[in-house]
Amino acid sequence: AMAATRRVMRAVRVFEFGGPEVLKLRSDVLVPVPKENQVLIKVHACGVNPVETYIRSGTYARKPALPYTPGSDVAGVIEAVGEHVTAFKKGDRVFTLETVSGGYAEYAVAAANRVFPLPDKLDFRQGAALAVPYFTAYRALFQRGCAKAGERVLVHGASGGVGLAACQMARACGLKVLGTAGTEEGMDVILRNGAHQAFNHRDPNYIERIKECTGPGGVDIIIEMLSNVNLDADLQLLARAGRVMVVGCRGRTEINPRDTMSKESSIIGVSLFLATEEERQECARAVLDGIEAGWLKPVVGLEYPLEKVSKAHEDIICSSGARGKMVLLL
């Protein structure tokens, strides 16, 4: 039986750190075997996240051992389960928060406690848009940001995966939601997904427009995807005791710490990687409840076949504006 399981599959492999061209599609990769407390998933779709481009470039704090397969949030069907796995069986539709073997592949192994049932009302593309964006948005808003109904939230870069998740969640929980995007289309997507108002961050006066909209009160929470560009301006937009949640960053920045004193405001880092098991399960419950209730609906943006993975990595960093979650389709 063991020999029969050693099939080969197509998978993306990275043999050296570098640009998008280091992503190599191979068709001779062994299908992994689930160990105890692991499951093997036949992957139908895999999310593409900006962090995967940072890891690939070799400039990020986490450096996997080479060669490796990128990708963490997949959606698909359980193919096999390892010992002691009782929560899942062959044929179950699932999505994952992370994988052990890498998600840009036809099959992936994941720890059973990082795997969740995929609700029937979502397809696999939507399933691949769930875990990293929605868990990150939930962590930023509620676990680290202590968001409360009635507060004002600005989602800075709201048209991508995490941004749209934050808009949907914040709106459902009674917050006043403002969002920014870089294109008209992006602004439309934000308004359809929970934002009360949208601003174009390519408009040179957009910060003034946000201030006009909020009045002297300012915003209570900012969900910040590009803190190296926006952090200084964010501190000017905050209300008293406001907080900037640093979800994304692509470099260094300069701020005046006095701006935090005048409002007693906070700059708070967000890393899903540091969530405890309890916090992850809380994220999963919140997300699955939201899907069930109907207010949480992943928006799938650009879709790429596995062959075009290099292009996907280029586009997620360089394209003019996101419109939902980027996914690879298998």
Side-chain angles (χ1 to χ4, degrees):
M2 207 44 217
T5 61
R6 302 311 278 161
R7 295 165 300 170
V8 293
M9 64 174 180
R10 294 189 313 144
V12 174
R13 302 292 280 163
V14 174
F15 295 92
E16 57 179 329
F17 296 113
E21 70 283 351
V22 303
L23 298 163
K24 306 290 185 198
L25 181 56
R26 304 290 295 259
S27 51
D28 58 354
V29 180
L30 286 175
V31 173
V33 175
K35 301 191 174 75
E36 61 177 347
N37 300 314
Q38 292 182 341
V39 298
L40 177 67
I41 298 163
K42 183 174 188 350
V43 178
H44 287 257
C46 179
V48 180
N49 299 289
V51 69
E52 287 142 27
T53 71
Y54 311 153
I55 294 170
R56 181 216 69 227
S57 70
T59 58
Y60 195 65
R62 300 210 303 276
K63 274 201 184 62
L66 296 167
Y68 78 98
T69 294
S72 67
D73 37 7
V74 307
V77 175
I78 299 278
E79 177 84 2
V81 299
E83 277 185 276
H84 311 312
V85 174
T86 53
F88 301 102
K89 61 183 185 314
K90 185 175 163 64
D92 287 352
R93 285 162 36 98
V94 294
F95 69 97
T96 71
L97 177 59
E98 44 193 301
T99 69
V100 175
S101 58
Y104 297 6
E106 289 179 313
Y107 292 90
V109 157
N113 65 356
R114 303 287 196 284
V115 177
F116 308 94
L118 179 63
D120 290 338
K121 53 171 88 168
L122 300 188
D123 62 27
F124 291 118
R125 292 154 51 249
Q126 291 173 304
L130 270 181
V132 171
Y134 280 89
F135 287 27
T136 300
Y138 184 83
R139 185 164 181 77
L141 281 165
F142 302 107
Q143 290 179 338
R144 303 278 296 132
C146 304
K148 295 190 179 42
E151 287 192 311
R152 283 202 181 110
V153 61
L154 170 66
V155 183
H156 220 155
S159 61
V162 177
L164 288 170
C167 287
Q168 291 175 0
M169 288 187 154
R171 179 67 181 255
C173 294
L175 283 91
K176 175 85 189 283
V177 184
L178 314 177
T180 75
T183 62
E184 286 299 318
E185 201 181 348
M187 288 165 70
D188 288 342
V189 171
I190 296 172
L191 291 168
R192 284 200 306 274
N193 284 280
H196 291 88
Q197 274 174 294
F199 302 86
N200 189 329
H201 56 63
R202 291 179 201 282
D203 166 0
N205 297 321
Y206 86 101
I207 298 284
E208 292 313 310
R209 300 206 168 164
I210 294 173
K211 283 182 179 160
E212 279 163 29
C213 169
T214 62
V219 293
D220 300 293
I221 303 176
I222 298 176
I223 306 294
E224 184 51 73
M225 312 306 166
L226 196 60
S227 45
N228 52 302
V229 173
N230 299 325
L231 189 57
D232 188 47
D234 287 342
L235 294 175
Q236 322 294 320
L237 290 170
L238 285 178
R240 185 168 170 185
R243 45 263 187 230
V244 181
M245 310 308 302
V246 179
V247 171
C249 183
R250 294 182 188 172
R252 301 181 68 85
T253 188
E254 197 170 294
I255 60 163
N256 182 350
R258 190 175 288 281
D259 293 335
T260 64
M261 295 159 63
S262 58
K263 311 258 183 75
E264 288 199 330
S265 57
S266 311
I267 300 166
I268 301 174
V270 179
S271 171
L272 190 54
F273 193 64
L274 296 177
T276 64
E277 177 61 29
E278 290 71 31
E279 287 171 328
R280 273 195 303 273
Q281 296 303 330
E282 183 194 346
C283 288
R285 279 195 304 276
V287 168
L288 291 168
D289 285 351
I291 294 165
E292 193 49 47
W295 52 259
L296 192 157
K297 259 192 126 89
V299 179
V300 177
L302 296 169
E303 302 173 8
Y304 298 78
L306 216 45
E307 298 74 40
K308 295 266 167 50
V309 64
S310 299
K311 180 88 173 89
H313 266 225
E314 208 171 297
D315 291 350
I316 200 166
I317 296 300
C318 303
S319 77
S320 65
R323 294 177 308 284
K325 169 74 175 186
M326 183 181 285
V327 297
L328 297 172
L329 297 182
L330 287 101

